[in-house]
């Protein structure tokens, strides 16, 4: 079974791009999604994809509590079904 | 710090009430990017290097350098004396020799466009978005819009739908940026009234914060959607046109 980080990278490659480039390989736990150049609109949309894939509640307000991708991975590890 | 008009990548965009909005050209431009990097302080350079992709790195540097140039000229201080602090939610504010000057600002960037809004007082929020038709408008709308906003969107199709989506979104985002709380504030818990998204200017109050009035205006054009929200003092309330 792929790790949560690997699944997130794959989801990012399938759903996100910045200036025409896929960004899965740039999903570094120390960075935030804003650091990768995503807009808040992209992040809200990606939050919905993640919520569905991992079967977790993930509202924009919950996302705003997370400082970086490491926090997101920790949240998914603790809550994913 | 040379800011001669011919070399500037920012220019006056609009006067909106007592606020001024500057447009920043964020198209790729090697020499502008090199100049920008020189204007940043050490903390900003660390942040600039932290961006893994060239596009976001460029947008940050060109906007931050334009912000520095305009603030220095308005306040009358040197670039070295200017630094930035940020609130617990990340909203930046200016400091001159570690003290806040009498000027407020907010900025936004999207694709090739940046906007910076300034005013002498009152909280400010600005948002710009290049309009891109997305497949996920419906899912996004459910997450960020209230029932009346979703119904308004359901009534339009094609280009009008894209226009309305970004009109609503930029107005909402300008408001939460003015408040300063980012998405810690649930954006689906307030709705943009039709008078605001159908016209240009209106006074708005959050239902959760009825005592504070915001002057909100849609300032988009054919290239991008954009909106500005500016806190009004009670003495300014009778004076809005
Ligand atoms: C404020 C916010 C909504 C803007 O997002 P956006 O639409 O993608 O970006 P914009 O281009 O319109 O605005 C970015 C600018 O807003 C300003 N800004 C940052 N945080 C802000 C806040 N809380 N309130 C107002 N303005 C803010 C900054 O100047 C930033 O530009 P800079 O970093 O180059 O200086 C978003 O940054 C936010 O919600 N931040 C809160 C923290 C957060 O949610 N973190 C999640 C980590 S995964």
């Amino acid at each position: 079974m792929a790790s949560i980080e690997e699944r997130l990278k794959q989801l990012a490659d399938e759903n996100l791009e910045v200036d025409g480039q896929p960004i899965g390989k740039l999903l570094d736990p120390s960075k935030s999604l804003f650091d990768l150049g995503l807009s808040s609109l992209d992040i809200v949309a990606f939050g919905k994809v993640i919520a569905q894939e991992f079967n977790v509640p993930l509202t924009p307000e919950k996302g705003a509590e997370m400082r970086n991708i490491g926090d997101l991975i920790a949240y998914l590890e603790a809550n994913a079904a | 710090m040379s800011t001669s008009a011919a070399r500037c990548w920012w220019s006056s965009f609009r006067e909106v009430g007592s606020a001024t909005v500057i447009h920043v050209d964020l198209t790729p431009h090697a020499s502008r990017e090199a100049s920008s990097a020189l204007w940043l302080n050490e903390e900003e350079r660390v942040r600039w290097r932290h961006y893994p992709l060239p596009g976001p790195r460029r947008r940050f540097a060109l906007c931050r350098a334009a912000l520095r140039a305009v603030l220095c000229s308005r306040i009358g201080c040197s670039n070295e004396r200017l630094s930035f602090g940020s609130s617990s939610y990340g909203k930046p504010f200016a400091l001159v020799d570690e003290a806040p000057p009498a000027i407020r600002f907010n900025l936004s960037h999207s694709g090739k466009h940046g906007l910076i809004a300034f005013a002498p007082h009152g909280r400010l929020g600005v948002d710009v978005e290049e309009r891109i038709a997305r497949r996920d408008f419906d899912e996004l709308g459910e997450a960020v819009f209230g029932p009346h906003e979703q119904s308004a969107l359901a009534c339009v199709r094609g280009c009008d739908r894209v226009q309305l989506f970004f009109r609503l979104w930029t107005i909402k985002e300008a408001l939460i940026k003015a408040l300063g709380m980012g998405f810690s504030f649930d954006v689906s818990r307030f709705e943009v009234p039709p008078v605001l998204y159908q016209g240009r200017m209106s006074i708005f109050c959050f239902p959760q914060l009825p005592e504070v009035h915001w002057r909100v205006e849609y300032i988009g054009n054919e290239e991008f959607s954009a909106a500005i929200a500016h806190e009004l003092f009670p003495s300014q309330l009778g004076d809005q046109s």
Side-chain angles (χ1 to χ4, degrees):
Chain A
M1 175 89 177
S3 71
I4 292 217
E5 187 170 344
E6 284 159 10
R7 285 166 70 194
L8 262 185
K9 286 183 175 177
Q10 193 183 336
L11 273 188
D13 274 337
E14 287 163 5
N15 292 280
L16 296 170
E17 52 179 46
V18 172
D19 299 332
Q21 286 189 50
I23 58 156
K25 66 176 187 309
L26 301 172
L27 240 53
D28 165 348
S30 74
K31 294 201 168 16
S32 83
L33 292 170
F34 288 104
D35 294 335
L36 304 184
L38 294 170
S39 71
S40 43
L41 205 50
D42 296 323
I43 295 175
V44 172
F46 191 47
K48 293 217 85 174
V49 172
I50 295 172
Q52 204 166 13
E53 169 74 16
F54 291 93
N55 197 17
V56 288
L58 186 55
T59 58
E61 307 89 83
K62 185 80 215 163
E65 290 168 16
M66 299 172 190
R67 285 158 308 157
N68 53 36
I69 292 157
D71 285 353
L72 173 62
I73 292 171
Y75 175 74
L76 294 176
E77 277 168 353
N79 295 285
Chain B
M1 185 170 187
S2 164
T3 56
S4 72
R7 298 178 61 192
C8 287
W9 51 92
W10 59 95
S11 56
S12 181
F13 178 65
R14 289 242 341 232
E15 297 294 322
V16 183
S18 59
T20 302
V21 184
I22 308 277
H23 176 266
V24 189
D25 178 359
L26 301 178
T27 44
H29 193 298
S31 69
R32 289 176 179 172
E33 288 169 52
S35 306
S36 296
L38 295 176
W39 297 356
L40 306 183
N41 67 17
E42 196 39 46
E43 196 183 327
E44 290 164 329
R45 267 187 222 147
V46 169
R47 206 176 139 197
W48 177 63
R49 286 190 213 102
H50 191 71
Y51 288 101
L53 288 169
R57 203 180 307 141
R58 175 180 73 248
R59 287 189 270 275
F60 169 71
L62 290 176
C63 256
R64 187 51 76 98
L67 174 67
R68 282 186 158 275
V70 182
L71 282 176
C72 286
S73 119
R74 289 185 167 236
I75 301 166
C77 75
S78 66
N79 188 38
E80 292 69 32
R81 290 173 59 207
L82 179 66
S83 61
F84 295 91
S86 61
S87 72
S88 52
Y89 294 104
K91 184 170 184 173
F93 54 86
L95 292 167
V96 176
D97 301 332
E98 308 299 319
I103 190 163
R104 309 289 286 260
F105 75 86
N106 192 235
L107 70 82
S108 179
H109 28 68
S110 175
K112 298 192 289 296
H113 303 281
L115 291 181
I116 307 179
F118 300 93
H121 40 63
R123 285 173 283 179
L124 266 177
V126 68
D127 189 51
V128 60
E129 302 283 343
E130 282 191 343
R131 284 183 285 267
I132 298 165
R134 308 177 60 117
R135 280 172 293 143
D136 53 3
F137 273 154
D138 290 331
E139 292 91 325
L140 269 174
E142 282 166 25
V144 295
F145 294 138
H148 296 101
E149 293 165 335
Q150 290 184 41
S151 314
L153 267 174
C155 294
V156 282
R157 291 273 161 271
C159 287
D160 290 344
R161 188 167 156 80
V162 177
Q163 290 272 356
L164 180 59
F165 183 95
F166 282 104
R167 224 171 227 265
L168 286 168
W169 176 260
T170 51
I171 292 170
K172 282 203 158 196
E173 198 158 357
L175 277 163
I176 61 160
K177 291 182 75 183
L179 206 53
M181 292 173 61
F183 282 93
S184 311
F185 192 87
D186 179 351
V187 284
S188 65
R189 281 185 55 219
F190 70 92
E191 296 208 83
V192 175
V195 61
L196 225 172
Y197 62 77
Q198 286 163 0
R200 281 210 166 242
M201 198 286 282
S202 183
I203 308 297
F204 177 84
C205 296
F206 289 98
Q208 305 84 338
L209 205 66
E211 65 286 4
V212 187
H213 294 75
W214 307 86
R215 185 191 192 283
V216 186
E217 187 161 345
Y218 181 76
I219 54 170
N221 61 18
E222 55 295 331
E223 290 185 80
F224 52 78
S225 295
I228 177 170
H230 189 191
E231 183 179 12
L232 288 174
F233 291 112
S235 60
Q236 295 173 291
L237 277 174
D239 188 30
Q240 297 306 312
S241 53

